Amino acid sequence: MNTENTGKKDERNLYLKNEDLDVAVAKYLAFLSFEKGPQKGRLLPVIEALGWVTKEPVFAKISSPYYNASAMDGICVEAMEMIGVDERHPRTLIKGTDFNFVDTGDVIADPYNAVVMIEDVIIKSDDEVSINSPVSLWQHVRPIGEDIVAGELIIPAFHRVRPIDLGALLAGGITEIEVLVKPRVGIIPTGTELVEAGVAMAVGKIIDSNTHMFVGLAEEYGGEAKRYQTVRDDYELIKNAIVKAVDENDMVLISAGSSAGTEDYTRKLIEELGEVVVHGVAIKPGKPVVLGIVQGKPVIGIPGYPVSAYFVFESFVKPVILAFNHQTTTEGVTIKAILSKRLMSSLKYLEFVRMKCGRVNQRFIATPLDRGAGVTMSLVNADGILKIPKNVEGYEAGEEVELILMRPREEIENTLVSIGSHDVLMDIVANIIHKNKQLVNLSSAHVGSLGGIMAIKKRECHIAPIHLLDEETGVYNCSYIKRYLADEAVELIKGVKRTQGMIIPKGNPKNIQEIGDLIRTDLSFVNRQRGSGTRVLLDYLLKENKIDNSQVLGYTREMNTHMMVASAVKSGSCDVGIGVLSAANMMELDFIPIGDEDYDFVILKENLGDPRVQIFINVLKSQEFKEALMQLGGYEIIQPGEIVKP
């Protein structure tokens, strides 16, 4: 145990070792003792026990059914008295003497011991019936204990109670059970820069969202979460918060402060208060995790980037919570999918890549999302996770990979896959589909117009949004389709005309007027990625104005969406970018138009009849879609959803 750390600003943490993930988890769990069960038990009414874990096995108190019961609507009879009955030898029965009418679930009492279905009964009067089929002993009768026998095990110890278990417990006469007390998970946000959601923002401040995510995840996996007030970056304050949390909880999570910065105190404090088992794991994102023990309790330092935080929780916190409850970690549902684009990775880490996925022509197609550790929306939008193992450089486009699903397989199978150019209208379409409860999801991956055309050629998507200007003719899209898809039977679904232009700060403080201004040395620019229609348009305009792209400061800085361009301008990290008017309007920025363009959708003719495609076309033609675009501004709607020959 190290007691000499002072937490001075000039001290930097050194990672003890980048352990492999499986080794780190096994090593950490081995340091924690769960054999005796760290939780006490408590009695809980069965009707409140959903999701709790049983402490002891539960045995039935009564049998179910509790009596011999009719399994059908019909008549109850004495089977031995019906010997010899068949089609040639029917028998007439008298109510009260030979039979009684019964409904499903009615008691079958002596002397009756068989039921004849009402469909096999010929009713002659209210008191007289005839049967002409053989009757076997106890036919269509549910005997006592057919479902549950008194004394039989219903659910074992350390079983997480499911909805179907509730019914079985109640049917077995159980009204309360002993469950494990849920492990208390103390969560400490740290960081002078953190503020609560809803507080007026200022430069340098960050909303604390991670710890609220931790609360939800902890409770989902069977813990009871307690989130503490944010502690600013002060060694003694954080130390006091850890001591208090360890005293009040079964495990403690410290959000942020686990890296190697001068104000990252987590490792030092865990060393001072207890023991660091692991600091630094060979995973990406999530490398700087700290796995420690204080007073025999797990204390985990989690990095501050949201995506890193999520994967550290899934990789380390989840197994610990499950171990408290004597549960095991499962990988989840996996599928095989074809990778739509090349994906490289470091040889040093196991990497978690968030993926979009959908079924196209009987194959699942997977497209990587933004890989940044701070991109929360890459988790929200992900359909699955691709693990790229350590010592693997990555995968080539067209390779089959395995995804761990983050959504039900049925949802992914009902997904319309769009790969190509970005526009906020794709979010509008997705929302309309979802709001109207259509059995379709829209997966939209932004790889640029040319990337979309290549995805169509490789049959990796249903539709490809494109807006590609032909420099020779000034016509959009058609020449590119003929050039790259000449051997394919394709159609063009008309979309919208939209206004492209220069997105600039409100008030145009640098007096930007035209494309020629981009060569000014006092202006910084942000570009779209190669292959995007916007990039093609910019290059066309630069050529028209006899400007070499090397003269544009920021030409090589790329963004994947119009909203990212607008956000860069809004934040002040650049003075100007090229994008659509709707993005400028949404970010409350000014805009200098440079032209209108056609934003359309390429589709293979064979996919036009797909119900998912038809739903998409219907949304394009809907009044709801038109009204939403009019509110955004920057669009001209002429023939959306119409099918034309390119």
Side-chain angles (χ1 to χ4, degrees):
M1 184 183 302
N2 180 3
T3 58
E4 298 179 357
N5 287 316
T6 62
K8 292 180 181 179
K9 279 263 192 168
D10 59 350
E11 291 186 5
R12 285 192 175 271
N13 293 323
L14 297 175
Y15 297 124
L16 302 183
K17 187 178 180 182
N18 278 336
E19 302 268 15
D20 287 343
L21 176 60
D22 293 343
V23 172
V25 172
K27 181 177 179 180
Y28 192 45
L29 291 178
F31 269 79
L32 304 169
S33 177
F34 299 102
E35 287 80 5
K36 297 180 180 179
Q39 305 110 295
K40 297 179 181 178
R42 59 171 290 192
L43 286 176
L44 201 64
V46 165
I47 58 175
E48 298 176 12
L50 182 65
W52 290 72
V53 176
T54 55
K55 190 173 189 295
E56 302 293 342
V58 182
F59 299 92
K61 290 183 178 179
I62 62 174
S63 296
S64 176
Y66 192 62
Y67 53 85
N68 294 326
S70 175
M72 300 286 179
D73 294 342
I75 62 172
C76 58
V77 298
E78 293 181 67
M80 302 307 293
E81 297 297 321
M82 302 297 118
I83 294 175
V85 173
D86 56 30
E87 288 186 353
R88 292 181 298 172
H89 304 93
R91 181 170 301 182
T92 298
L93 307 177
I94 306 300
K95 182 180 178 182
T97 301
D98 303 313
F99 82 94
N100 274 317
F101 286 105
V102 289
D103 295 325
T104 301
D106 283 352
V107 176
I108 304 299
D110 287 342
Y112 302 119
N113 52 23
V115 170
V116 180
M117 293 189 299
I118 196 66
E119 294 91 332
D120 296 332
V121 175
I122 302 167
I123 299 182
K124 295 185 174 181
S125 69
D126 290 345
D127 297 314
E128 190 176 89
V129 302
S130 175
I131 61 172
N132 58 11
S133 298
V135 178
S136 59
L137 190 64
W138 298 111
Q139 76 173 24
H140 303 316
V141 175
R142 296 188 66 207
I144 294 172
E146 179 192 57
D147 184 10
I148 301 170
V149 177
E152 180 181 14
L153 177 69
I154 299 179
I155 50 177
F158 306 144
H159 175 84
R160 192 167 188 180
V161 179
R162 305 164 297 171
I164 54 177
D165 299 325
L166 298 179
L169 289 165
L170 294 171
I174 308 299
T175 57
E176 62 180 16
I177 58 174
E178 188 174 15
V179 297
L180 293 173
V181 173
K182 293 182 178 181
R184 298 181 304 275
V185 183
I187 301 169
I188 306 172
T190 70
T192 306
E193 74 281 5
L194 293 185
V195 296
E196 293 295 318
V199 172
M201 291 296 292
V203 174
K205 295 298 181 182
I206 300 172
I207 293 173
D208 175 34
S209 56
N210 286 356
T211 58
H212 292 283
M213 175 177 68
F214 297 160
V215 168
L217 289 170
E219 293 180 351
E220 180 178 338
Y221 297 137
E224 185 178 280
K226 179 177 181 180
R227 178 180 176 272
Y228 291 86
Q229 290 294 313
T230 300
V231 184
R232 61 186 175 86
D233 291 317
D234 179 280
Y235 192 85
E236 290 300 322
L237 291 178
I238 298 174
K239 177 181 175 180
N240 293 337
I242 294 173
V243 170
K244 176 179 170 64
V246 168
D247 183 60
E248 296 176 349
N249 298 279
D250 298 302
M251 66 181 298
V252 175
L253 311 181
I254 306 166
S255 179
S258 67
S259 294
T262 56
E263 292 184 346
D264 292 324
Y265 301 136
T266 301
R267 180 185 63 82
K268 300 173 189 175
L269 285 166
I270 293 176
E271 279 185 327
E272 179 178 335
L273 297 170
E275 179 180 2
V276 171
V277 178
V278 173
H279 184 202
V281 179
I283 61 174
K284 182 181 180 181
K287 180 181 73 170
V289 60
V290 182
L291 307 177
I293 298 175
V294 177
Q295 296 181 24
K297 299 178 180 180
V299 177
I300 300 178
I302 303 180
Y305 278 127
V307 180
S308 297
Y310 172 79
F311 283 112
V312 165
F313 196 105
E314 288 289 302
S315 300
F316 301 102
V317 182
K318 178 181 178 181
V320 173
I321 294 175
L322 292 177
F324 267 105
N325 285 327
H326 299 270
Q327 306 294 293
T328 56
T329 305
T330 56
E331 184 76 291
V333 177
T334 62
I335 61 171
K336 300 286 188 180
I338 302 300
L339 196 61
S340 69
K341 62 185 293 188
R342 191 183 194 205
L343 191 59
M344 302 309 294
S345 181
S346 167
L347 295 172
K348 297 166 58 178
Y349 305 105
L350 164 65
E351 185 171 4
F352 301 98
V353 184
R354 286 76 73 200
M355 309 291 289
K356 293 295 289 181
C357 189
R359 184 188 281 275
V360 182
N361 299 325
Q362 306 309 310
R363 301 183 304 166
F364 285 109
I365 304 296
T367 302
L369 291 165
D370 195 312
R371 296 161 78 177
V375 186
T376 307
M377 288 304 295
S378 68
L379 289 172
V380 174
N381 293 327
D383 296 314
I385 302 297
L386 169 62
K387 289 184 177 181
I388 304 180
K390 184 179 176 181
N391 299 323
V392 172
E393 286 186 317
Y395 301 106
E396 295 295 334
E399 278 196 66
E400 186 178 69
V401 295
E402 185 173 74
L403 302 189
I404 303 168
L405 296 186
M406 296 183 71
R407 302 187 197 277
R409 181 186 174 112
E410 294 76 15
E411 282 190 22
I412 294 172
E413 290 183 335
N414 283 326
T415 294
L416 177 71
V417 178
S418 168
I419 298 179
S421 174
H422 168 260
D423 192 282
V424 293
L425 72 79
M426 299 302 287
D427 295 331
I428 292 172
V429 172
N431 182 60
I432 292 173
I433 290 173
H434 182 75
K435 190 169 66 172
N436 293 334
K437 299 181 180 178
Q438 301 278 7
L439 296 178
V440 173
N441 297 298
L442 175 59
S443 168
S444 186
H446 312 132
V447 299
S449 295
L450 287 173
I453 285 179
M454 291 300 103
I456 287 286
K457 190 175 184 68
K458 293 186 287 184
R459 285 171 165 72
E460 293 176 346
C461 64
H462 297 108
I463 58 172
I466 64 170
H467 59 108
L468 290 164
L469 174 66
D470 187 325
E471 296 183 11
E472 300 292 330
T473 65
V475 175
Y476 273 88
N477 301 327
C478 294
S479 64
Y480 286 86
I481 294 173
K482 291 174 182 175
R483 184 186 312 167
Y484 294 106
L485 300 173
D487 298 330
E488 304 289 345
V490 296
E491 304 278 12
L492 200 63
I493 303 173
K494 293 302 293 180
V496 299
K497 284 191 176 293
R498 63 181 191 178
T499 304
Q500 285 265 26
M502 293 190 287
I503 299 175
I504 55 178
K506 201 73 174 173
N508 194 4
K510 293 200 172 180
N511 193 30
I512 299 169
Q513 299 296 325
E514 56 186 21
I515 287 291
D517 288 335
L518 295 182
I519 64 172
R520 285 168 40 185
T521 57
D522 65 329
L523 294 183
S524 61
F525 178 73
V526 65
N527 209 347
R528 287 293 307 281
Q529 81 274 28
R530 282 185 227 177
S532 68
T534 301
R535 178 76 161 255
V536 172
L537 173 61
L538 171 67
D539 289 345
Y540 168 74
L541 293 172
L542 291 179
K543 182 178 178 181
E544 192 176 57
N545 284 269
K546 296 180 172 54
I547 297 173
D548 188 283
N549 60 38
S550 63
Q551 297 176 271
V552 180
L553 180 63
Y555 179 87
T556 58
R557 182 186 176 195
E558 299 180 349
M559 299 291 175
N560 288 335
T561 69
H562 295 281
M563 290 302 294
M564 290 176 68
V565 171
S567 179
V569 175
K570 182 79 171 181
S571 69
S573 69
C574 68
D575 301 303
V576 59
I578 304 293
V580 293
L581 176 57
S582 57
N585 288 345
M586 291 176 71
M587 297 294 288
E588 298 181 334
L589 296 165
D590 279 351
F591 185 83
I592 301 171
I594 57 177
D596 293 331
E597 63 180 12
D598 291 353
Y599 184 83
D600 300 323
F601 307 92
V602 185
I603 184 170
L604 289 167
K605 194 172 182 179
E606 65 195 51
N607 287 330
L608 269 176
D610 190 307
R612 294 166 292 186
V613 173
Q614 289 301 310
I615 288 172
F616 176 77
I617 291 172
N618 290 338
V619 170
L620 291 182
K621 293 180 176 181
S622 70
Q623 186 62 30
E624 186 175 5
F625 175 68
K626 293 175 184 177
E627 290 175 357
L629 287 192
M630 290 302 98
Q631 288 183 359
L632 284 178
Y635 297 96
E636 187 178 356
I637 302 171
I638 299 175
Q639 51 181 152
E642 295 299 319
I643 311 299
V644 299
K645 291 283 184 185

